[in-house]
């Protein structure tokens, strides 16, 4: 399929009948380039199920505010518009993630938790924004899975039967992979350029120009969570960490030991959160 024609199809993902209704409504809201915090707040509180889910997520180990946020307005003030927009999308796409690939939501949560820990270790001023990028880094798998369900089932079968990484099987069928598809929809939905770039280059962090540190963090967190076996990202193997990441992050052995220790503690809390969310 021609890449431009494929992109046009992927960018109309929100017209699919399989898209959850809350996600469809959210996309109409966040596509406004000048959306305000008040508009986002009104959207959330008008939907009791979404409000409950948002408060659960902001009080989960992903953001490090356990039990401290009791209202949507408080979440908006503490986390900011970009983080809340990304979190809303992650929360809304939850059902679609489960339909596309069992374990993808858990993988995404684990990646978000680990990315925040690494971002804090590196002293980044907005670790929550890196966490949101990690939560959404595999959104291209959801998009491709919903738009082309038969082809995606073939891709997942090939990944297992031929010992391929999923992005290799995707490229064989579509000529692009989930990182490309995710970046296209993130761009279409008016997400910040930094978020689009992390999604696009999370498998090739050395190509990130404007947010190389954030992209390197999500790349490393993705691989650490796969190696830990938390959730399932569609691959039956764990890829190697890109050498540029070790250079960009310059983490010492002590740093890594601390990150892995905190990751284990946070993942244990996340398992409780996931059980209570079922």
């Amino acid at each position: 399929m021609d890449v431009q024609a494929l992109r046009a199809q992927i960018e109309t993902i929100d017209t699919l009948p399989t898209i959850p209704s809350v996600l469809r409504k959210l996309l109409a809201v966040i596509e406004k380039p000048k959306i305000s915090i008040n508009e986002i707040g009104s959207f959330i509180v008008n939907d009791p199920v979404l409000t409950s889910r948002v408060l659960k997520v902001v009080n989960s180990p992903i953001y490090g505010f356990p039990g401290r946020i009791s209202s949507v307005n408080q979440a908006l003030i503490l986390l900011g518009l970009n983080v809340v927009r990304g979190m809303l999308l992650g929360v809304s796409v939850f059902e679609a993630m489960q339909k596309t690939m069992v374990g993808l939501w858990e993988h995404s949560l684990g990646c978000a938790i680990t990315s925040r820990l690494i971002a804090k270790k590196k002293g980044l001023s907005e670790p929550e924004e890196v966490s949101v990028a990690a939560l959404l880094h595999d959104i291209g798998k959801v998009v491709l899975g919903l738009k082309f369900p038969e082809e995606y089932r073939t891709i997942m079968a090939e990944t297992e039967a031929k010992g391929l990484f999923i992005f290799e099987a995707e490229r064989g069928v579509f000529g692009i992979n989930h990182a490309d598809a995710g970046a296209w929809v993130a761009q279409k939905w008016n997400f910040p350029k930094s978020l689009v770039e992390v999604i696009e280059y999370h498998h090739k962090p050395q190509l990130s120009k404007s947010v190389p540190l954030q992209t390197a963090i999500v790349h490393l967190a993705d691989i650490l969570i796969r190696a830990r076996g938390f959730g399932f990202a569609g691959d039956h193997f764990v890829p190697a960490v890109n050498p540029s990441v070790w250079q960009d992050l310059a983490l010492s052995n002590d740093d890594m030991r601390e990150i892995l220790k905190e990751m284990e503690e946070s993942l244990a809390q996340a398992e409780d959160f996931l059980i209570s969310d079922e």
Side-chain angles (χ1 to χ4, degrees), residues 32-77:
K32 298 177 184 174
K34 294 182 180 178
I35 184 77
S36 70
I37 279 187
N38 284 341
E39 286 175 279
I40 289 276
S42 298
F43 174 79
I44 299 171
V45 297
N46 281 333
D47 186 324
V49 175
L50 187 60
T51 300
S52 164
R53 196 173 280 278
V54 164
L55 290 178
K56 263 190 175 180
V57 170
V58 296
N59 284 299
S60 75
I62 298 175
Y63 297 107
F65 305 118
R68 289 170 49 197
I69 299 179
S70 57
S71 73
V72 168
N73 279 345
Q74 196 182 356
L76 287 167
I77 292 166

Side-chain angles (χ1 to χ4, degrees), residues 201-242:
Y201 296 128
H202 70 271
H203 286 300
K204 297 177 180 175
Q206 74 279 11
L207 299 182
S208 174
K209 300 298 181 195
S210 59
V211 283
L213 208 55
Q214 290 86 340
T215 309
I217 288 171
V218 173
H219 175 87
L220 178 58
D222 182 20
I223 292 173
L224 289 178
I225 284 297
R226 290 164 190 249
R228 169 62 172 72
F230 192 87
F232 180 63
D235 296 311
H236 297 273
F237 305 95
V238 178
V241 175
N242 189 296

Side-chain angles (χ1 to χ4, degrees), residues 14 22-32 35 43:
D14 44 316
V22 68
L23 178 57
R24 199 187 310 277
K25 292 175 192 169
L26 172 64
L27 292 175
V29 173
I30 64 177
E31 278 184 8
K32 298 177 184 174
I35 184 77
F43 174 79

Side-chain angles (χ1 to χ4, degrees), residues 2 21 26 36 43 72 92 110 113 119-120 154 201 227 242 264:
D2 174 73
S21 61
L26 172 64
S36 70
F43 174 79
V72 168
S92 306
I113 290 168
K120 285 181 71 178
T154 300
Y201 296 128
N242 189 296
E264 284 302 326

